[in-house]
Amino acid sequence: TTSSLATTSLCLTFALGLRQHYTVATTCTPAKPTAQLASTSFSTVHFKKSPHPSTQVGASITRSLRLLRRTVSLSIIFLPPLALLPILYFFPSSSLRATFLHSLKNSFVAAGPAFIKWGQWAAARPDIFPHDAVAIFSELHMSCPSHSYLHTVRTVEAAFHAPLHEIFESFTQQPMASGSIGQVHVATLTDSAAAACSVPPRTEVAVKVRHPGVAEMLDVDFELLFTAALLLMKIPSLSWMHLDESVGQFA
């Protein structure tokens, strides 16, 4: 429909018209208003002093603990496909290979956005990966988990500093679609919100809300992905996956 084709621009207009200190309703990410962005120059940038050494040490310890905790979690998640590797190496077969790839795909889903994104990217690279892996990884485009409706409500209300019912006349609890980074809900603007956007009353829009903790998880996971790719490339049965090359291109 016309409204679905224009949802991105409508959400952008809605965000700029209703709350000038937010730019895009679909991501609910605080940012400078357009006027401020246009006038920003390097002369207005203020550089902070370097943090105290003790602060740096504390931050380094905290990050190391986060990496360790995430490593343990990922080790448990990827245990099933890793357990299949020695069997696949000594007793190669097409059925066992398919079982391994399906197990790996399921682990990607459980591991979170960085791994789901990598699997989706791999599915679009038949020049790097075998066709059977591409076919199975392509299922990741349709099997991304969604977050709770409560998180969606809190995120949208925090972004616009207003209750949900003041912004939208209706708002679907179930997402229309969910990806590795966020999910999309269909909503209808209230008359006041539509007037602020200079669009017809009860205009239907799509609201994309980012999954909780995505940014922090991506930061940690990419650091671990690079390390894991280098280590896994030393396993003969995984050399065909070109993990080091694919992670580098993906990042």
Side-chain angles (χ1 to χ4, degrees):
T1 62
T2 304
S3 61
S4 63
L5 292 175
T7 51
T8 302
S9 60
L10 284 173
C11 286
L12 175 59
T13 305
F14 173 51
L16 292 173
L18 186 63
R19 296 289 175 182
Q20 286 295 319
H21 54 286
Y22 286 89
T23 56
V24 184
T26 53
T27 58
C28 301
T29 303
K32 296 181 180 179
T34 305
Q36 291 183 12
L37 286 174
S39 61
T40 300
S41 64
F42 286 106
S43 61
T44 62
V45 177
H46 300 283
F47 294 94
K48 296 181 180 181
K49 294 181 179 180
S50 299
H52 192 274
S54 61
T55 304
Q56 292 179 327
V57 172
S60 178
I61 293 175
T62 300
R63 182 169 182 80
S64 297
L65 290 175
R66 287 178 58 195
L67 288 171
L68 178 61
R69 183 168 59 249
R70 183 61 173 161
T71 301
V72 173
S73 175
L74 290 175
S75 298
I76 297 174
I77 290 173
F78 283 94
L79 183 60
L82 288 175
L84 288 172
L85 280 178
I87 304 176
L88 183 62
Y89 178 74
F90 289 106
F91 305 99
S93 69
S94 58
S95 59
L96 185 59
R97 180 183 171 93
T99 301
F100 166 75
L101 290 173
H102 278 290
S103 178
L104 187 59
K105 182 209 69 175
N106 294 334
S107 294
F108 285 160
V109 174
F115 294 89
I116 294 175
K117 272 294 183 185
W118 183 84
Q120 292 173 340
W121 173 85
R125 296 303 306 268
D127 57 318
I128 297 179
F129 296 95
H131 292 292
D132 57 347
V134 168
I136 292 175
F137 291 163
S138 63
E139 298 174 8
L140 292 168
H141 290 287
M142 301 172 289
S143 59
C144 294
S146 60
H147 61 250
S148 68
Y149 177 67
L150 179 60
H151 172 76
T152 292
V153 173
R154 288 175 175 173
T155 302
V156 174
E157 291 183 344
F160 293 105
H161 292 201
L164 194 71
H165 65 83
E166 292 184 6
I167 310 169
F168 303 105
E169 185 175 282
S170 64
F171 197 100
T172 58
Q173 291 194 17
Q174 294 297 323
M176 178 179 66
S178 180
S180 59
I181 304 299
Q183 62 191 46
V184 179
H185 293 263
V186 178
T188 304
L189 295 176
T190 59
D191 290 346
S192 58
C197 299
S198 301
V199 296
R202 296 178 177 81
T203 296
E204 189 178 72
V205 296
V207 183
K208 185 175 182 179
V209 182
R210 191 167 60 186
H211 295 314
V214 165
E216 296 81 3
M217 188 178 294
L218 286 173
D219 180 44
V220 173
D221 284 352
F222 268 113
E223 186 170 345
L224 294 175
L225 269 174
F226 278 110
T227 303
L230 293 175
L231 293 176
L232 290 174
M233 281 302 297
K234 299 183 182 297
I235 301 177
S237 59
L238 285 181
S239 59
W240 58 271
M241 297 188 72
H242 305 285
L243 293 174
D244 53 346
E245 179 184 348
S246 62
V247 170
Q249 292 185 14
F250 171 64

